[in-house]
Amino acid sequence: SQLDFRQPQTGIAQGQPVMRGHGHFEATAQRGAMDRGDHRLVASLDAVADLGQAWRQRRLAELADVRTGYGRTEVIHGVDLSVPSDGVVAIMGHNGAGKTTLLKAAIGLLKTSSGTIRFDGEDLTGTRPSARVRRGLAYVPQGQQSFPQLTTAENLQVVADGRKRGKELIAEMLDLFPALTELLDRPAGLLSGGQRQQLAIARALITEPRMLILDEPTEGIQPSVVAEIENTISELTNRGG
């Protein structure tokens, strides 16, 4: 299997691998790429070196030589991955390549057998998922997950409870996902897949994360809602959230 990690930001094609796997699991990364048809802009070597230095200075999260899996089966074989503080990183690969496994390791749902996971310079490798959330990580798992027996409003409130800006954060999420406003009294289990996914993302954003991890955010969702989710992600990125 092969996994392709790309940093889909406009800029200059740098081409320097920042993440590499070992064994049969291999991963490559490219960042700052601007595709125009079959043409790719390439800078001089000096500009590339300057870009690489700037990249290293603004890393928000780093996975180094991470190995993890299930039981005796190792799925991730020594992956290195850097996430910038002001951009988006996409992880792409075939089914079963280990994308979800890698994300679960990043948020702490799977223990690593080796390697380190750092966030904002702090080593979080051995910490619980709740501790990582408190430090600014948020995870939206695959499958539009929510509490189906609770209403949309209650799903949001569960996360907002105990937060100083709880009411304000819920209001912000309804501005970000206006379709949820008319669904506040409806049980989450009766929402469409797209509506549940918007709810799941809204719940994660109420934690005010510095980095949001999304696993298959548009899987099984109608195209019009996919566009809304993509626009929301772009908006959050552009405003630094």
Side-chain angles (χ1 to χ4, degrees):
S1 299
Q2 187 174 21
L3 211 61
D4 186 15
F5 289 66
R6 298 184 185 273
Q7 158 60 10
Q9 288 181 292
T10 58
I12 299 171
Q14 205 267 2
Q16 175 185 347
V18 294
M19 185 270 310
R20 196 183 304 278
H22 304 290
H24 71 270
F25 182 96
E26 297 181 357
T28 59
Q30 290 181 316
R31 63 179 182 278
M34 179 185 292
D35 284 319
R36 293 181 177 176
D38 294 330
H39 300 86
R40 187 178 294 271
L41 300 180
V42 182
S44 68
L45 292 178
D46 289 341
V48 167
D50 291 342
L51 181 60
Q53 182 177 2
W55 172 274
R56 287 188 292 273
Q57 291 174 349
R58 68 173 194 267
R59 290 173 180 171
L60 180 60
E62 284 188 274
L63 281 66
D65 194 27
V66 169
R67 295 174 179 270
T68 188
Y70 306 92
R72 297 182 180 179
T73 303
E74 185 176 89
V75 177
I76 303 298
H77 308 282
V79 165
D80 301 327
L81 172 65
S82 295
V83 179
S85 60
D86 58 352
V88 176
V89 172
I91 302 175
M92 295 175 284
H94 298 295
N95 289 340
K99 303 183 297 297
T100 294
T101 301
L102 181 65
L103 299 183
K104 285 183 175 180
I107 196 63
L109 294 174
L110 282 177
K111 293 183 178 180
T112 57
S113 56
S114 68
T116 58
I117 298 172
R118 304 184 69 84
F119 182 71
D120 198 20
E122 182 181 1
D123 189 347
L124 300 183
T125 309
T127 60
R128 299 171 61 87
S130 56
R132 301 186 195 199
V133 171
R134 286 194 295 270
R135 285 165 174 78
L137 284 168
Y139 176 55
V140 180
Q142 185 177 5
Q144 306 110 34
Q145 296 186 20
S146 61
F147 298 107
Q149 73 279 13
L150 300 182
T151 65
T152 297
E154 289 168 339
N155 267 274
L156 297 172
Q157 192 64 51
V158 164
V159 185
D161 279 347
R163 299 183 181 276
K164 293 181 179 180
R165 298 179 58 241
K167 291 183 179 180
E168 182 181 348
L169 288 168
I170 290 177
E172 289 178 5
M173 292 307 104
L174 295 178
D175 287 339
L176 198 60
F177 299 103
L180 297 179
T181 303
E182 298 179 358
L183 304 170
L184 291 175
D185 295 328
R186 185 175 301 181
L190 299 181
L191 302 181
S192 68
Q195 292 165 345
R196 286 197 307 274
Q197 186 67 334
Q198 291 180 73
L199 176 59
I201 297 174
R203 293 174 65 240
L205 290 174
I206 287 177
T207 67
E208 298 184 277
R210 296 180 59 198
M211 187 171 88
L212 178 63
I213 302 174
L214 301 165
D215 191 356
E216 298 283 4
T218 60
E219 180 186 33
I221 298 174
Q222 66 186 49
S224 61
V225 180
V226 169
E228 292 177 11
I229 292 174
E230 290 175 346
N231 290 336
T232 299
I233 294 172
S234 296
E235 179 183 342
L236 291 170
T237 303
N238 291 336
R239 73 186 190 189

